mmCIF file of all heavy atoms in Angstrom:
data_model
loop_
_atom_site.group_PDB
_atom_site.id
_atom_site.type_symbol
_atom_site.label_atom_id
_atom_site.label_comp_id
_atom_site.label_asym_id
_atom_site.label_seq_id
_atom_site.Cartn_x
_atom_site.Cartn_y
_atom_site.Cartn_z
ATOM 1 N N ALA A 58 -166.937 151.408 186.312
ATOM 2 C CA ALA A 58 -165.741 151.549 185.470
ATOM 3 C C ALA A 58 -165.706 152.912 184.789
ATOM 4 O O ALA A 58 -164.639 153.509 184.618
ATOM 5 C CB ALA A 58 -165.701 150.434 184.432
ATOM 6 N N LYS A 59 -166.859 153.424 184.425
ATOM 7 C CA LYS A 59 -166.936 154.714 183.725
ATOM 8 C C LYS A 59 -166.758 155.896 184.671
ATOM 9 O O LYS A 59 -166.126 156.901 184.332
ATOM 10 C CB LYS A 59 -168.280 154.832 183.004
ATOM 11 C CG LYS A 59 -168.474 156.148 182.242
ATOM 12 C CD LYS A 59 -169.834 156.196 181.597
ATOM 13 C CE LYS A 59 -170.049 157.530 180.888
ATOM 14 N NZ LYS A 59 -169.154 157.715 179.728
ATOM 15 N N THR A 60 -167.312 155.785 185.896
ATOM 16 C CA THR A 60 -167.398 156.956 186.789
ATOM 17 C C THR A 60 -166.532 156.870 188.042
ATOM 18 O O THR A 60 -166.281 157.885 188.685
ATOM 19 C CB THR A 60 -168.853 157.153 187.249
ATOM 20 O OG1 THR A 60 -169.245 156.006 188.035
ATOM 21 C CG2 THR A 60 -169.787 157.315 186.066
ATOM 22 N N GLY A 61 -166.102 155.668 188.419
ATOM 23 C CA GLY A 61 -165.395 155.488 189.682
ATOM 24 C C GLY A 61 -166.317 155.455 190.882
ATOM 25 O O GLY A 61 -165.859 155.417 192.029
ATOM 26 N N ILE A 62 -167.620 155.447 190.652
ATOM 27 C CA ILE A 62 -168.604 155.447 191.735
ATOM 28 C C ILE A 62 -169.110 154.019 191.968
ATOM 29 O O ILE A 62 -169.672 153.396 191.067
ATOM 30 C CB ILE A 62 -169.803 156.362 191.410
ATOM 31 C CG1 ILE A 62 -169.336 157.788 191.121
ATOM 32 C CG2 ILE A 62 -170.818 156.353 192.562
ATOM 33 C CD1 ILE A 62 -170.402 158.670 190.490
ATOM 34 N N GLU A 63 -168.911 153.509 193.167
ATOM 35 C CA GLU A 63 -169.438 152.191 193.528
ATOM 36 C C GLU A 63 -170.918 152.329 193.877
ATOM 37 O O GLU A 63 -171.333 153.316 194.487
ATOM 38 C CB GLU A 63 -168.673 151.635 194.732
ATOM 39 C CG GLU A 63 -169.160 150.275 195.210
ATOM 40 C CD GLU A 63 -168.582 149.867 196.548
ATOM 41 O OE1 GLU A 63 -167.675 150.563 197.053
ATOM 42 O OE2 GLU A 63 -169.055 148.856 197.105
ATOM 43 N N VAL A 64 -171.715 151.349 193.476
ATOM 44 C CA VAL A 64 -173.140 151.333 193.808
ATOM 45 C C VAL A 64 -173.399 150.214 194.804
ATOM 46 O O VAL A 64 -173.162 149.044 194.508
ATOM 47 C CB VAL A 64 -174.015 151.133 192.560
ATOM 48 C CG1 VAL A 64 -175.502 151.112 192.948
ATOM 49 C CG2 VAL A 64 -173.758 152.242 191.540
ATOM 50 N N ARG A 65 -173.862 150.590 195.990
ATOM 51 C CA ARG A 65 -174.210 149.610 197.017
ATOM 52 C C ARG A 65 -175.732 149.487 197.060
ATOM 53 O O ARG A 65 -176.430 150.447 197.370
ATOM 54 C CB ARG A 65 -173.657 150.037 198.372
ATOM 55 C CG ARG A 65 -172.123 150.142 198.357
ATOM 56 C CD ARG A 65 -171.542 150.540 199.694
ATOM 57 N NE ARG A 65 -170.084 150.686 199.626
ATOM 58 C CZ ARG A 65 -169.316 151.065 200.633
ATOM 59 N NH1 ARG A 65 -169.866 151.337 201.819
ATOM 60 N NH2 ARG A 65 -168.004 151.176 200.478
ATOM 61 N N VAL A 66 -176.219 148.307 196.727
ATOM 62 C CA VAL A 66 -177.651 148.086 196.584
ATOM 63 C C VAL A 66 -178.241 147.517 197.865
ATOM 64 O O VAL A 66 -177.698 146.570 198.439
ATOM 65 C CB VAL A 66 -177.935 147.122 195.410
ATOM 66 C CG1 VAL A 66 -179.434 146.836 195.303
ATOM 67 C CG2 VAL A 66 -177.407 147.701 194.103
ATOM 68 N N VAL A 67 -179.345 148.093 198.296
ATOM 69 C CA VAL A 67 -180.156 147.508 199.360
ATOM 70 C C VAL A 67 -181.426 147.004 198.677
ATOM 71 O O VAL A 67 -182.291 147.789 198.291
ATOM 72 C CB VAL A 67 -180.498 148.533 200.457
ATOM 73 C CG1 VAL A 67 -181.323 147.859 201.563
ATOM 74 C CG2 VAL A 67 -179.231 149.143 201.036
ATOM 75 N N ALA A 68 -181.506 145.696 198.461
ATOM 76 C CA ALA A 68 -182.609 145.102 197.709
ATOM 77 C C ALA A 68 -183.740 144.705 198.660
ATOM 78 O O ALA A 68 -183.570 143.853 199.520
ATOM 79 C CB ALA A 68 -182.128 143.894 196.920
ATOM 80 N N LYS A 69 -184.871 145.367 198.495
ATOM 81 C CA LYS A 69 -186.062 145.111 199.314
ATOM 82 C C LYS A 69 -187.266 145.025 198.379
ATOM 83 O O LYS A 69 -187.179 145.350 197.211
ATOM 84 C CB LYS A 69 -186.292 146.256 200.300
ATOM 85 C CG LYS A 69 -185.140 146.526 201.256
ATOM 86 C CD LYS A 69 -185.164 145.566 202.428
ATOM 87 C CE LYS A 69 -184.152 145.923 203.493
ATOM 88 N NZ LYS A 69 -184.159 144.946 204.606
ATOM 89 N N GLY A 70 -188.395 144.618 198.920
ATOM 90 C CA GLY A 70 -189.631 144.804 198.182
ATOM 91 C C GLY A 70 -189.833 146.294 197.944
ATOM 92 O O GLY A 70 -189.339 147.130 198.712
ATOM 93 N N THR A 71 -190.558 146.649 196.896
ATOM 94 C CA THR A 71 -190.719 148.063 196.545
ATOM 95 C C THR A 71 -191.219 148.903 197.712
ATOM 96 O O THR A 71 -190.714 150.003 197.963
ATOM 97 C CB THR A 71 -191.654 148.193 195.326
ATOM 98 O OG1 THR A 71 -190.929 147.812 194.151
ATOM 99 C CG2 THR A 71 -192.150 149.617 195.140
ATOM 100 N N GLY A 72 -192.207 148.423 198.450
ATOM 101 C CA GLY A 72 -192.730 149.186 199.588
ATOM 102 C C GLY A 72 -191.663 149.460 200.631
ATOM 103 O O GLY A 72 -191.538 150.584 201.135
ATOM 104 N N GLN A 73 -190.858 148.444 200.937
ATOM 105 C CA GLN A 73 -189.792 148.613 201.927
ATOM 106 C C GLN A 73 -188.673 149.504 201.394
ATOM 107 O O GLN A 73 -188.093 150.296 202.138
ATOM 108 C CB GLN A 73 -189.227 147.244 202.317
ATOM 109 C CG GLN A 73 -190.217 146.371 203.065
ATOM 110 C CD GLN A 73 -189.671 144.979 203.366
ATOM 111 O OE1 GLN A 73 -188.640 144.590 202.834
ATOM 112 N NE2 GLN A 73 -190.382 144.244 204.195
ATOM 113 N N ALA A 74 -188.375 149.390 200.101
ATOM 114 C CA ALA A 74 -187.349 150.242 199.490
ATOM 115 C C ALA A 74 -187.778 151.705 199.542
ATOM 116 O O ALA A 74 -186.975 152.601 199.832
ATOM 117 C CB ALA A 74 -187.097 149.812 198.049
ATOM 118 N N ILE A 75 -189.051 151.965 199.281
ATOM 119 C CA ILE A 75 -189.572 153.335 199.348
ATOM 120 C C ILE A 75 -189.490 153.864 200.774
ATOM 121 O O ILE A 75 -189.078 155.012 201.003
ATOM 122 C CB ILE A 75 -191.020 153.388 198.814
ATOM 123 C CG1 ILE A 75 -191.014 153.175 197.298
ATOM 124 C CG2 ILE A 75 -191.688 154.714 199.162
ATOM 125 C CD1 ILE A 75 -192.389 153.041 196.683
ATOM 126 N N ASP A 76 -189.856 153.049 201.751
ATOM 127 C CA ASP A 76 -189.759 153.468 203.159
ATOM 128 C C ASP A 76 -188.315 153.805 203.526
ATOM 129 O O ASP A 76 -188.052 154.769 204.254
ATOM 130 C CB ASP A 76 -190.290 152.367 204.077
ATOM 131 C CG ASP A 76 -191.802 152.228 204.010
ATOM 132 O OD1 ASP A 76 -192.465 153.163 203.524
ATOM 133 O OD2 ASP A 76 -192.322 151.172 204.432
ATOM 134 N N LEU A 77 -187.382 153.013 203.033
ATOM 135 C CA LEU A 77 -185.959 153.256 203.282
ATOM 136 C C LEU A 77 -185.550 154.627 202.734
ATOM 137 O O LEU A 77 -184.891 155.418 203.406
ATOM 138 C CB LEU A 77 -185.137 152.147 202.619
ATOM 139 C CG LEU A 77 -183.662 152.043 202.993
ATOM 140 C CD1 LEU A 77 -183.512 151.360 204.353
ATOM 141 C CD2 LEU A 77 -182.900 151.234 201.947
ATOM 142 N N ALA A 78 -185.963 154.892 201.504
ATOM 143 C CA ALA A 78 -185.630 156.178 200.878
ATOM 144 C C ALA A 78 -186.328 157.338 201.583
ATOM 145 O O ALA A 78 -185.762 158.430 201.707
ATOM 146 C CB ALA A 78 -186.014 156.139 199.401
ATOM 147 N N LYS A 79 -187.528 157.103 202.075
ATOM 148 C CA LYS A 79 -188.260 158.155 202.792
ATOM 149 C C LYS A 79 -187.594 158.521 204.111
ATOM 150 O O LYS A 79 -187.817 159.604 204.649
ATOM 151 C CB LYS A 79 -189.709 157.713 203.052
ATOM 152 C CG LYS A 79 -190.620 157.856 201.846
ATOM 153 C CD LYS A 79 -192.054 157.517 202.219
ATOM 154 C CE LYS A 79 -193.004 157.793 201.071
ATOM 155 N NZ LYS A 79 -194.416 157.497 201.435
ATOM 156 N N ARG A 80 -186.792 157.626 204.648
ATOM 157 C CA ARG A 80 -186.036 157.920 205.872
ATOM 158 C C ARG A 80 -184.694 158.580 205.551
ATOM 159 O O ARG A 80 -183.933 158.901 206.467
ATOM 160 C CB ARG A 80 -185.798 156.633 206.664
ATOM 161 C CG ARG A 80 -187.063 155.976 207.190
ATOM 162 C CD ARG A 80 -186.747 154.937 208.254
ATOM 163 N NE ARG A 80 -185.921 153.851 207.761
ATOM 164 C CZ ARG A 80 -186.402 152.715 207.240
ATOM 165 N NH1 ARG A 80 -187.709 152.537 207.134
ATOM 166 N NH2 ARG A 80 -185.576 151.764 206.825
ATOM 167 N N GLY A 81 -184.405 158.730 204.267
ATOM 168 C CA GLY A 81 -183.134 159.319 203.876
ATOM 169 C C GLY A 81 -181.980 158.342 203.955
ATOM 170 O O GLY A 81 -180.819 158.754 203.994
#
Side-chain angles (χ1 to χ4, degrees):
K59 180 182 178 66
T60 64
I62 303 167
E63 179 191 352
V64 180
R65 299 181 182 178
V66 177
V67 181
K69 302 279 188 182
T71 285
Q73 293 176 348
I75 289 173
D76 288 343
L77 192 78
K79 281 185 174 181
R80 296 195 299 269

